[in-house]
């Protein structure tokens, strides 16, 4: 079985490298503080699930990791590279970090294959043949190799999201961020995307997922992080988190979300 | 009331010259306006205040003063600073600059109509600004901006009639000329109205054909379906 | 840059009178425009093909010919046609008003298309007459939703008024021309004129935004 070419084992060091190190991070939107003293360490190969009510800042948090949002205070270090206003650092970090969005954000005017070729050819200057090979490989990985010439609008939501995952993987990132990847999908398509993500996890990818899919969290996550009102309220392994949450707010949230 | 069209027919060469002048002016001012519009639009949507505010000022000025005042300022006031431009050059510059502000707003509307997620995805993939504006954003803009942009272009064709007031020998000036010789204001002005009408009908026809061609293009259809 | 505003300030009286003239003409012409535009909108739904065709041609003509030419045609043709001695003021207001009317009709048409069918159905189910439905239900909503575009059209009307200087109306631009030929200071005079236009148009759009904000609660 072909393993994904990347990520968890840094050639020059041992297996436990810190991929994402966030220290005392604070972020404001004008007067309103949306992230408060965030501290989070993600080791190589770890799968983190972040959950919480809407407005808790969880999407903002992961968007800060690849600088789609800027933090005003504190440090974020991604794979040893400090995340600052320095464009070189940002570019380097973005080529190591892949992201999937709730709305997929595939480029509608390009075919599936072209969506996957665009970044490697433009950013890494990969040749077209090599990029095609990569694209073909990852499209097979997400189980839609035959749709390469279709356009996003011709695919179902689940298929589009899987293409989005393949597109991000074509940049051979070391970390994958997922921002509620299944929230915009019809229920019958959620599992095909979650299965793809679980496979990715099993192959050793470092992942940070914001999601409401607790079944996925229970099965795949190494750690579950609960956020509320901009703070990390609780952080523990899935067992403890779901069965013995330490914090009252966590318990309340779990009661609400596990109703159905 | 009698219509003395013979008088006009006798001077048809003046009319033809005027029409050609009008078309020439439009053919140059419109693309120039589009270029200015693209440039100003990029400034307008920039994150840097230093770039954005001049663009906003420029757009607001052009949208709130009449073109005629602008023409008079360039034609009659600039000579006091040693810059004496011909009526034609003044016309080109003013029409392009005036139109540019309107084009800029239309393009900005188009950029804002593109879902924010497209920018997010492009940035997350590590694509550079120039690259993703060209390859991801612009192709999606096209179907949004084409109709309003053609309206602006048509407006510029019509506004060219103002150049008659700074001695440019375009169609309206030709009418004044013929009227001065034949004293048939109703017939002359009605005739040029018909000519302008004809120009606008042909222009709209061409652009709507172009519009359909764009809509038939598979790329645009993908965007439209979304 | 030898700007001598002080020289011209005392003489700007006529210019401000011109500005008032501009606003006066603008407001009346806009009023005419709204009436004409609404009439055209209602005529578009007429049973008679001729009426509908007329509306189409009218719109095509007005939107396809320069305002300057329309003003000139109006001015020279109105007196012989009607036999009444129509002065430049009336002819000018009519020309600008009828011009604006075509654009207002387009704006209203767009607004009309956005009214959900359900509004018509509910009104008919309640047994209201066609006239009542138009004037009490539909048109208010159309105007409400098109405020920004109508305000923009008002600005356009103000920007057309300088063209009335060609038919001897002494509005702001003509007053400015007179002043700078007299004082040989076109820079200062035209800058003042430009500023006045800017202030007028900008204030109009600010009012428009205020109205727009207040109108939000009347919409779905």
């Amino acid at each position: 079985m072909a393993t994904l070419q990347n990520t968890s084992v840094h050639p020059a060091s041992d297996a436990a490298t810190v991929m994402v190190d966030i220290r005392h991070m604070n972020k404001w939107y004008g007067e309103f503080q949306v992230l408060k003293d965030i501290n989070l360490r993600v080791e190589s190969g770890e799968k983190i699930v972040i959950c919480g009510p809407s407005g808790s800042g969880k999407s903002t948090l992961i968007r800060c990791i690849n600088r789609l949002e800027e933090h005003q205070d504190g440090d974020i270090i991604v794979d040893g590279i400090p995340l600052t206003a320095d464009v070189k650092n940002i570019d380097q970090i973005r080529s190591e970090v892949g992201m999937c969005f709730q709305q997929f954000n595939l480029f509608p005017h390009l075919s599936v294959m072209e969506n996957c070729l665009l970044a490697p050819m433009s950013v890494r200057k990969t040749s077209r043949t090599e990029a095609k090979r990569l694209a073909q490989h990852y499209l097979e990985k997400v189980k839609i190799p035959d749709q390469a010439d279709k356009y996003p609008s011709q695919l179902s939501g689940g298929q589009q999201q899987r293409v989005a995952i393949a597109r991000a993987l074509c940049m051979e990132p070391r970390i994958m961020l997922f921002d509620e990847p299944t929230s915009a999908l019809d229920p019958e398509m959620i599992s095909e995307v979650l299965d793809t993500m679980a496979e990715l996890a099993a192959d050793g990818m470092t992942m940070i997922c914001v999601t409401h899919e607790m079944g996925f969290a229970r099965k795949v996550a190494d750690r579950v992080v609960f956020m509320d009102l901009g703070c990390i309220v609780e952080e523990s392994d899935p067992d403890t988190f779901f069965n013995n949450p330490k914090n009252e707010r966590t318990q309340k949230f779990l009661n609400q979300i596990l109703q159905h | 009331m009698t219509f003395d069209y013979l008088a006009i027919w006798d001077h048809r060469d003046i009319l033809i010259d005027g029409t050609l002048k009008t078309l020439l002016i439009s053919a140059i001012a419109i693309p120039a306006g589009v270029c200015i519009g693209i440039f100003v639009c990029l400034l307008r949507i920039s994150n840097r205040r230093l770039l954005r505010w001049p663009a906003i000022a420029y757009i607001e000025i052009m949208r709130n003063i009449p073109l005629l005042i602008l023409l008079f300022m360039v034609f009659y006031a600039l000579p006091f600073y040693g810059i004496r431009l011909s009526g034609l050059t003044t016309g080109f510059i003013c029409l392009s600059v005036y139109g540019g502000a309107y084009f800029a707003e239309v393009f900005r509307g188009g950029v804002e109509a593109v879902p924010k997620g497209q920018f997010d995805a492009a940035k997350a993939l590590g694509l550079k600004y120039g690259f993703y504006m060209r390859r991801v954003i612009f192709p999606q803009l096209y179907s949004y901006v084409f109709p309003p942009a053609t309206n602006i272009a048509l407006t510029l064709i019509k506004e060219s009639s103002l150049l008659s007031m700074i001695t440019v020998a375009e169609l309206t000036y030709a009418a004044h000329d013929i009227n001065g010789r034949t004293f048939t204001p109703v017939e002359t002005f009605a005739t040029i109205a018909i000519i302008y009408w004809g120009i606008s009908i042909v222009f709209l026809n061409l652009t709507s054909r172009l519009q359909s061609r764009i809509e038939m293009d598979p790329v645009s259809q993908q965007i439209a379906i979304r | 840059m030898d700007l001598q505003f002080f020289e011209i300030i005392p003489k700007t009286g006529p210019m401000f009178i011109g500005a008032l003239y501009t606003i006066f003409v603008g407001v009346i012409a806009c009023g005419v425009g709204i009436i004409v535009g609404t009439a055209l909108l209602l005529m578009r739904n007429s049973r008679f093909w001729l009426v509908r065709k007329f509306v189409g041609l009218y719109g095509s003509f007005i939107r396809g010919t320069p305002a300057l030419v329309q003003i000139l045609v109006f001015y020279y043709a109105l007196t012989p046609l009607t036999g009444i001695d129509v002065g430049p003021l009336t002819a000018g207001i009519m020309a600008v008003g009828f011009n604006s009317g075509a654009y207002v009709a387009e704006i209203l048409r767009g607004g009309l298309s956005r009214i959900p069918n359900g509004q018509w159905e509910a009104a008919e189910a309640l047994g209201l007459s066609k006239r009542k439905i138009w004037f009490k239900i539909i048109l208010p909503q159309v105007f409400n939703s098109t405020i920004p575009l109508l305000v923009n059209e008002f600005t356009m009307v103000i920007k057309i008024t300088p063209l009335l200087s060609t038919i001897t109306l002494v509005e702001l631009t003509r007053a400015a021309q007179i002043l700078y030929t007299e004082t040989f200071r076109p820079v200062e005079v035209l800058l003042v004129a430009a500023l006045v236009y800017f202030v007028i148009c900008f204030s109009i759009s600010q009012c428009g935004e205020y109205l727009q904000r207040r109108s939000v609660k009347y919409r779905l």
Side-chain angles (χ1 to χ4, degrees):
Chain A
M1 177 173 99
T3 49
L4 285 171
Q5 165 136 357
N6 119 10
T7 69
S8 43
V9 183
H10 198 284
S13 75
D14 59 60
T17 320
V18 177
M19 274 292 152
V20 178
D21 191 2
I22 303 178
R23 297 188 208 151
H24 301 293
M25 195 257 279
N26 289 285
K27 179 174 168 57
W28 288 265
Y29 278 135
E31 296 290 316
F32 176 65
Q33 187 166 12
V34 61
L35 290 172
K36 304 171 186 155
D37 196 37
I38 303 288
N39 292 286
L40 185 68
R41 280 174 69 117
V42 181
E43 311 257 333
S44 165
E46 270 199 296
K47 342 276 170 213
I48 312 284
V49 165
I50 306 180
C51 61
S54 49
S56 54
K58 43 192 206 299
S59 284
T60 315
L61 173 57
I62 63 167
R63 285 165 67 95
C64 282
I65 296 177
N66 69 353
R67 201 72 172 180
L68 286 182
E69 303 275 355
E70 290 173 20
H71 61 284
Q72 283 85 28
D73 190 34
D75 298 307
I76 302 180
I77 302 169
V78 178
D79 197 16
I81 309 166
L83 185 54
T84 59
D86 188 345
V87 177
K88 275 217 312 279
N89 287 2
I90 298 176
D91 285 343
Q92 239 189 312
I93 290 177
R94 283 183 178 162
S95 54
E96 312 257 337
V97 175
M99 184 159 184
C100 286
F101 303 87
Q102 183 175 350
Q103 301 295 334
F104 333 135
N105 293 337
L106 290 179
F107 304 136
H109 58 299
L110 300 175
S111 71
V112 162
M113 175 57 78
E114 286 163 357
N115 260 278
C116 295
L117 294 179
L118 196 69
M121 285 177 67
S122 155
V123 180
R124 294 206 198 278
K125 313 279 186 248
T126 322
S127 72
R128 197 182 185 88
T129 24
E130 176 61 20
K132 265 200 141 167
R133 190 190 64 79
L134 265 178
Q136 204 60 38
H137 170 84
Y138 287 115
L139 286 173
E140 274 165 30
K141 204 104 192 59
V142 301
K143 304 203 178 50
I144 38 173
D146 46 326
Q147 311 282 9
D149 292 320
K150 292 251 176 83
Y151 282 86
S153 61
Q154 296 167 307
L155 304 176
S156 74
Q159 290 172 317
Q160 288 189 50
Q161 190 60 292
R162 285 185 283 146
V163 171
I165 295 175
R167 177 178 67 174
L169 291 175
C170 282
M171 285 295 283
E172 316 232 81
R174 292 170 171 230
I175 309 164
M176 281 288 276
L177 306 174
F178 291 90
D179 188 359
E180 304 206 35
T182 55
S183 297
L185 294 175
D186 289 335
E188 62 270 17
M189 293 189 263
I190 295 182
S191 52
E192 69 191 57
V193 174
L194 291 181
D195 287 343
T196 309
M197 287 165 66
E199 263 197 49
L200 197 57
D203 283 337
M205 173 67 82
T206 315
M207 286 164 57
I208 307 179
C209 310
V210 172
T211 183
H212 295 299
E213 296 293 327
M214 293 304 149
F216 176 79
R218 248 195 260 254
K219 269 195 312 201
V220 173
D222 293 317
R223 256 188 295 154
V224 184
V225 172
F226 173 65
M227 282 184 71
D228 193 13
L229 301 174
C231 306
I232 292 183
V233 172
E234 188 163 339
E235 193 181 332
S236 43
D237 60 281
D239 259 330
T240 324
F241 187 86
F242 289 108
N243 299 326
N244 275 327
K246 294 179 216 130
N247 195 300
E248 202 187 298
R249 277 193 280 172
T250 319
Q251 184 65 69
K252 235 177 34 164
F253 175 73
L254 285 174
N255 287 342
Q256 288 174 319
I257 204 173
L258 293 175
Q259 287 281 2
H260 353 233
Chain B
M1 186 160 110
T2 51
F3 282 103
D4 185 9
Y5 280 109
L6 218 55
I8 302 172
W9 182 251
D10 286 340
H11 297 279
R12 64 187 180 282
D13 49 334
I14 305 180
L15 277 183
I16 294 174
D17 281 339
T19 312
L20 289 175
K21 208 55 158 305
T22 296
L23 293 174
L24 174 72
I25 295 169
S26 313
I28 299 192
I30 293 173
V34 169
C35 293
I36 294 178
I38 294 177
F39 177 67
V40 173
C41 175
L42 289 174
L43 292 180
R44 174 75 180 83
I45 62 180
S46 154
N47 286 319
R48 281 181 257 226
R49 274 182 302 177
L50 216 62
L51 295 177
R52 214 172 49 224
W53 284 355
I56 295 178
Y58 163 80
I59 292 174
E60 285 305 301
I61 292 174
M62 292 302 150
R63 285 176 70 178
N64 286 300
I65 66 170
L67 177 59
L68 195 58
I69 296 282
L70 189 66
L71 284 170
F72 284 168
M73 278 167 64
V74 176
F75 193 63
Y76 291 118
L78 276 192
F80 275 69
Y81 293 106
I83 308 174
R84 187 170 298 258
L85 298 168
S86 74
L88 196 58
T89 319
T90 314
F92 281 140
I93 295 176
C94 291
L95 279 174
S96 320
V97 164
Y98 190 72
Y102 287 89
F103 280 122
E105 278 296 274
V106 165
F107 295 150
R108 178 171 78 100
V111 171
E112 290 182 357
V114 175
K116 292 278 177 300
Q118 294 292 301
F119 290 89
D120 282 347
K123 282 190 237 179
L125 282 170
L127 302 176
K128 296 232 184 273
Y129 182 78
F131 183 79
Y132 71 72
M133 285 304 275
R134 254 190 318 122
R135 295 285 298 271
V136 176
I137 306 299
F138 182 76
Q140 300 186 49
L141 268 190
Y142 210 62
S143 38
Y144 291 118
V145 306
F146 197 74
T150 46
N151 271 324
I152 298 174
L154 183 61
T155 306
L156 286 180
I157 296 177
K158 294 188 294 173
E159 295 288 284
S160 71
S161 66
L162 265 65
L163 300 197
S164 63
M165 296 176 71
I166 52 171
T167 73
V168 176
E170 46 66 68
L171 188 50
T172 312
Y173 188 88
H176 282 295
D177 186 356
I178 298 178
N179 183 39
R181 297 169 202 235
T182 62
F183 298 99
T184 53
V186 181
E187 293 88 329
T188 21
F189 293 125
T191 310
I192 60 163
I194 308 269
I195 297 178
Y196 275 113
W197 195 6
I199 295 176
S200 76
I201 291 178
V202 169
F203 180 77
L204 287 174
N205 210 291
L206 286 175
T207 53
S208 77
R209 289 227 230 129
L210 204 59
Q211 169 86 349
S212 324
R213 281 259 229 102
I214 293 171
E215 276 164 11
M216 287 292 111
D217 182 40
V219 169
S220 312
Q221 288 190 330
Q222 305 312 318
I223 297 173
I225 289 173
R226 175 197 47 183
Chain C
M1 233 345 210
D2 185 26
L3 289 177
Q4 302 268 34
F5 281 103
F6 301 111
E7 254 204 51
I8 60 160
I9 299 266
K11 305 210 176 98
T12 52
M15 262 181 73
F16 286 100
I17 304 219
L20 289 175
Y21 224 98
T22 296
I23 297 176
F24 172 72
V25 170
V27 170
I28 310 264
C30 212
V32 173
I34 297 208
I35 296 172
V36 170
T38 312
L40 287 172
L41 184 73
L42 297 171
M43 281 163 70
R44 279 183 107 252
N45 294 300
S46 162
R47 278 169 289 150
F48 304 107
W49 172 84
L50 202 63
V51 174
R52 292 200 306 270
K53 196 74 181 156
F54 169 74
V55 173
L57 284 176
Y58 180 85
S60 167
F61 178 75
I62 298 282
R63 294 188 346 257
T65 53
L68 179 57
V69 174
Q70 290 167 19
I71 291 171
L72 290 168
V73 171
F74 243 92
Y75 179 62
Y76 287 110
L78 212 53
T79 319
L81 266 178
T82 59
I84 316 170
D85 186 15
V86 182
L89 182 61
T90 319
I93 293 179
M94 299 292 281
V96 179
F98 278 92
N99 175 290
S100 178
Y103 289 98
V104 169
E106 265 310 292
I107 292 170
L108 295 179
R109 182 170 77 98
L112 184 66
S113 69
R114 279 187 278 273
I115 307 277
N117 275 332
Q119 295 292 306
W120 292 94
E121 288 167 3
E124 282 175 14
L126 283 169
L128 295 169
S129 71
K130 263 270 139 78
R131 172 172 299 186
K132 276 260 157 53
I133 298 179
W134 268 108
F135 286 97
K136 292 253 159 179
I137 311 285
I138 302 296
L139 282 182
Q141 292 189 49
V142 171
F143 278 101
N144 203 289
S145 62
T146 53
I147 287 176
L149 292 169
L150 291 174
V151 166
N152 189 51
E153 178 57 29
F154 189 12
T155 326
M156 292 303 207
V157 166
I158 298 286
K159 290 191 294 174
I160 294 183
T161 56
L163 301 178
L164 296 176
S165 57
T166 50
I167 57 170
T168 75
L169 265 184
V170 185
E171 39 67 63
L172 178 54
T173 306
R174 188 88 191 97
Q177 275 185 307
I178 295 173
L179 186 59
Y180 71 66
T181 35
E182 186 188 300
T183 61
F184 291 100
R185 295 213 159 274
V187 181
E188 292 87 337
V189 172
L190 285 173
L191 277 176
V192 171
L195 185 66
V196 174
Y197 277 113
F198 188 89
V199 167
I200 295 176
C201 292
F202 197 73
S203 321
I204 292 172
S205 37
Q206 291 304 104
C207 284
E209 279 183 28
Y210 170 73
L211 286 175
Q212 161 80 348
R213 277 196 295 269
R214 285 215 6 199
S215 78
V216 172
K217 68 176 176 182
Y218 298 112
R219 266 182 274 152
L220 285 166

